[in-house]
């Protein structure tokens, strides 16, 4: 069963440039991970500072591996403290 994550992050105006720059590598690295079906982070055209996030992984193991990698990445440091609102479906124990 695939695992999907959908939601958004809300970036304060003073951190937008840093987040935009950090996303380039974060997206590239995530898309190269085994089990990543899709990974998209796009700026919301209607809400300033909001980035919509949509991820899909082949299974729970691939999703968890992504989470582990991301927690130790430059992206984790760059995006620390940025409010996130996500819903994850398909994740097994």
């Amino acid at each position: 069963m695939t695992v999907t994550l959908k939601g958004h992050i809300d970036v304060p105006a003073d951190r937008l440039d840093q987040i935009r720059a950090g996303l380039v590598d974060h997206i590239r690295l995530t898309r190269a991970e085994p089990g990543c079906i899709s990974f998209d982070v796009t700026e919301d055209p209607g809400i300033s500072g909001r980035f919509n996030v949509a991820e899909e992984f082949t299974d729970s193991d691939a999703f968890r591996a992504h989470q582990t990698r991301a927690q130790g990445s430059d992206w984790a440091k760059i995006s620390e403290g940025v409010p996130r609102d996500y819903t994850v479906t398909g994740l097994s124990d």
Side-chain angles (χ1 to χ4, degrees):
M1 174 184 230
T2 63
V3 176
T4 61
L5 178 149
K6 292 186 180 184
H8 61 268
I9 63 174
D10 288 321
V11 180
D14 64 336
R15 294 182 65 187
L16 281 171
D17 289 342
Q18 184 181 26
I19 291 292
R20 286 180 184 124
L23 273 171
V24 174
D25 269 346
H26 182 54
I27 290 168
R28 180 183 58 79
L29 291 169
T30 300
R31 288 179 178 169
E33 291 174 6
C36 178
I37 296 169
S38 64
F39 186 83
D40 295 299
V41 182
T42 55
E43 289 192 57
D44 191 300
I47 302 172
S48 181
R50 178 164 289 180
F51 290 74
N52 296 311
V53 181
E55 308 176 10
E56 185 174 15
F57 291 86
T58 54
D59 56 29
S60 295
D61 290 341
F63 178 77
R64 287 190 180 103
H66 162 67
Q67 293 292 307
T68 299
R69 184 202 61 79
Q71 287 172 2
S73 71
D74 286 343
W75 173 250
K77 295 174 194 133
I78 292 167
S79 66
E80 184 176 4
V82 171
R84 292 160 163 84
D85 183 11
Y86 298 145
T87 300
V88 178
T89 57
L91 192 60
S92 63
D93 293 335

